[in-house]
Amino acid sequence: MILFFLPLFALAHIPNQSYIFLRIYETDDIHGRFEINIREVNKVFGTDFKDGVTLGDVEPFIDDIKAYLLSNTSFSSDLGNHNIILEDTGIFEFNLGYFVQVYFHLENTKNLPKNLNVKYSAIFDKDNTHRGYLITEYNWRDGVINEEANITLDFSPNKTQDTMDLTKSSIWNGFYAMVKQGVWHIWIGLDHILFLLALILPSVVRRRKNNLETHRAFNWEPVKTFKSAFIYIIKVVTFFTVAHTITLTLASLEIVNLPSRLVESIIAFSIGLAAYHNIRPIFKMKDWVIAFIFGLFHGFGFASVLSDLGLTNEFLTLSLLGFNVGVEIGQIAIIAVIFPVLFLLRKLQLYPKLLVYISIVLIVISLYWFIERVFDINLMLDELITSWTYEIAVSLGLR
């Protein structure tokens, strides 16, 4: 059964297949795009396009391609026919070939119908082994946020018509999807994780009051109770949460916006400053100040994630709430893993040195990212680390 259904659930953009991607909005029509492999274009129009084709190469045939798609596709519902209004075109490069993209939106979909009837017969007359797939790429109520493997309908020469049910969706699906997005993006946001690590490293130790200037970095003593360490964690994380919630909301509502390059550079800098504070205190007994000030910029970073997800103003409040809840769940999970280990290690004579050496490593990483982001250069190492992090997350079933 797995082998039989594998092609249906495999990633999109397989040769000998064409696709309709739909983005379903509550009050802004249904938007979408066609994607057809350049080899299929050759079959229909007798052309000889090769991989590496550009939009300029295909331009003379664009009108014919559009007319062909319109003649082989239709959408209707209980509201009547939904005319396909074609828009921009493009070329999508994929490791399995090049695809012609034709964007569109459907008329008369300001109010969503209960069911959407779809007819699709492109390429079948030229290749009876061809298959077409309709993929729901975005539907907030259905909990679908920017997915390219969410096959909703499939078409073949013997099945050129099918119906898409839009009544099963719920706002809770969308809310839950945003929670998952929040968890996922804090877990893959290595800069956010390292900032949290820098903040909680000193949670299980305190500086000795008779601290000598020449040995300031290593002069720590373990906390005596779990309560004092836990209160430290709660205070720091609360200020960080309040801060990034403020700016995430302001940015998402487009009240305050900062350049992405500036935000990402300051986020990188925040890791180094928090780590340096562990070696030489900047705000004595006020670690929460760093968490709050730089938490504001981390909030702008989270807002850019929401922007990349293609969210509109629909369900914005629930999206913000769900994403924030997910971020907090992700933070709690990270702290739940790290904090008990730190608490168990706090009495070891090695811990003060460990705290300092880890902080030094964090400073180096921070400077590396800061240089990359300020000067807009790619030093490649972070891509390798991100790849490793992604593979670990996938192996643990987190993605």
Side-chain angles (χ1 to χ4, degrees):
M1 289 179 65
I2 291 173
L3 291 175
F4 181 79
F5 285 111
L6 183 60
L8 187 61
F9 296 104
L11 290 176
H13 302 107
I14 303 299
N16 206 37
Q17 296 176 1
S18 55
Y19 306 91
I20 303 173
F21 291 90
L22 290 187
R23 300 182 66 85
I24 300 171
Y25 300 105
E26 290 291 311
T27 58
D28 188 29
D29 291 331
I30 294 177
H31 292 249
R33 70 182 181 277
F34 297 100
E35 291 195 357
I36 301 180
N37 193 297
I38 200 68
R39 301 172 198 172
E40 310 305 296
V41 173
N42 290 338
K43 292 176 184 177
V44 174
F45 297 101
T47 51
D48 190 29
F49 293 122
K50 308 291 186 184
D51 284 347
V53 65
T54 66
L55 184 58
D57 297 330
V58 181
E59 193 66 39
F61 295 88
I62 287 297
D63 288 341
D64 292 335
I65 293 173
K66 288 182 175 180
Y68 179 77
L69 290 172
L70 287 177
S71 65
N72 285 278
T73 312
S74 67
F75 296 87
S76 63
S77 71
D78 55 326
L79 300 177
N81 292 326
H82 302 287
N83 294 329
I84 303 170
I85 308 303
L86 299 180
E87 299 170 343
D88 296 335
T89 56
I91 292 289
F92 175 72
E93 178 184 354
F94 191 66
N95 59 1
L96 292 174
Y98 284 68
F99 288 75
V100 176
Q101 298 175 310
V102 180
Y103 290 82
F104 66 87
H105 74 270
L106 300 181
E107 283 188 332
N108 192 28
T109 54
K110 291 289 185 183
N111 297 318
L112 287 181
K114 295 180 180 179
N115 297 292
L116 189 63
N117 304 314
V118 186
K119 291 182 180 180
Y120 184 75
S121 58
I123 324 295
F124 298 146
D125 58 333
K126 301 294 183 180
D127 181 358
N128 59 11
T129 66
H130 185 83
R131 294 295 179 267
Y133 294 104
L134 186 148
I135 296 175
T136 304
E137 185 179 49
Y138 178 93
N139 185 351
W140 197 94
R141 277 183 175 270
D142 213 25
V144 178
I145 311 293
N146 280 8
E147 296 184 19
E148 287 199 354
N150 188 39
I151 296 174
T152 306
L153 304 178
D154 60 284
F155 304 94
S156 66
N158 298 322
K159 181 188 175 187
T160 59
Q161 182 174 348
D162 208 343
T163 300
M164 183 178 180
D165 187 352
L166 299 178
T167 63
K168 296 180 180 179
S169 57
S170 161
I171 60 172
W172 295 113
N173 293 335
F175 181 78
Y176 179 61
M178 293 310 301
V179 171
K180 290 196 296 182
Q181 289 289 338
V183 172
W184 174 244
H185 281 92
I186 190 72
W187 283 352
I188 66 170
L190 194 55
D191 45 6
H192 302 298
I193 294 175
L194 295 185
F195 182 65
L196 278 174
L197 176 61
L199 289 175
I200 67 177
L201 275 173
S203 62
V204 296
V205 290
R206 298 291 182 269
R207 296 184 188 276
R208 291 189 175 94
K209 294 182 179 179
N210 61 345
N211 200 11
L212 299 177
E213 184 69 27
T214 54
H215 298 90
R216 182 185 295 273
F218 300 105
N219 203 357
W220 298 85
E221 59 183 0
V223 296
K224 295 180 180 179
T225 64
F226 179 86
K227 180 181 177 180
S228 61
F230 188 68
I231 289 175
Y232 176 97
I233 288 287
I234 293 296
K235 182 170 65 175
V236 168
V237 171
T238 298
F239 277 101
F240 178 62
T241 298
V242 170
H244 73 62
T245 299
I246 291 172
T247 48
L248 170 60
T249 303
L250 291 175
S252 298
L253 295 176
E254 298 184 349
I255 296 174
V256 179
N257 284 301
L258 294 179
S260 176
R261 188 168 168 183
L262 172 65
V263 169
E264 295 303 320
S265 298
I266 293 178
I267 288 175
F269 177 75
S270 70
I271 300 169
L273 187 69
Y276 179 78
H277 176 74
N278 296 337
I279 302 173
R280 299 282 183 179
I282 302 171
F283 303 100
K284 294 183 179 179
M285 305 302 293
K286 294 182 179 180
D287 306 76
W288 61 267
V289 174
I290 295 176
F292 183 81
I293 292 175
F294 289 104
L296 294 172
F297 291 95
H298 282 256
F300 283 115
F302 292 138
S304 68
V305 170
L306 285 181
S307 176
D308 292 340
L309 290 175
L311 297 174
T312 63
N313 288 329
E314 61 177 18
F315 306 111
L316 186 56
T317 301
L318 284 174
S319 294
L320 284 172
L321 179 60
F323 190 82
N324 241 328
V325 169
V327 169
E328 302 321 310
I329 292 173
Q331 284 181 181
I332 291 171
I334 293 168
I335 293 170
V337 171
I338 299 175
F339 178 63
V341 175
L342 300 183
F343 189 78
L344 291 174
L345 297 177
R346 76 191 192 286
K347 292 185 178 181
L348 298 178
Q349 292 182 350
L350 176 66
Y351 190 84
K353 293 182 179 180
L354 188 66
L355 184 154
V356 172
Y357 295 148
I358 292 177
S359 295
I360 291 173
V361 171
L362 292 178
I363 291 172
V364 172
I365 294 172
S366 170
L367 290 174
Y368 172 87
W369 279 338
F370 184 73
I371 291 171
E372 267 199 335
R373 296 174 184 183
V374 166
F375 296 103
D376 195 21
I377 57 177
N378 187 359
L379 301 179
M380 301 301 292
L381 181 59
D382 54 336
E383 291 184 3
L384 183 61
I385 294 173
T386 301
S387 176
W388 287 342
T389 305
Y390 183 88
E391 290 176 6
I392 292 171
V394 170
S395 66
L396 293 175
L398 303 177
R399 186 61 170 173

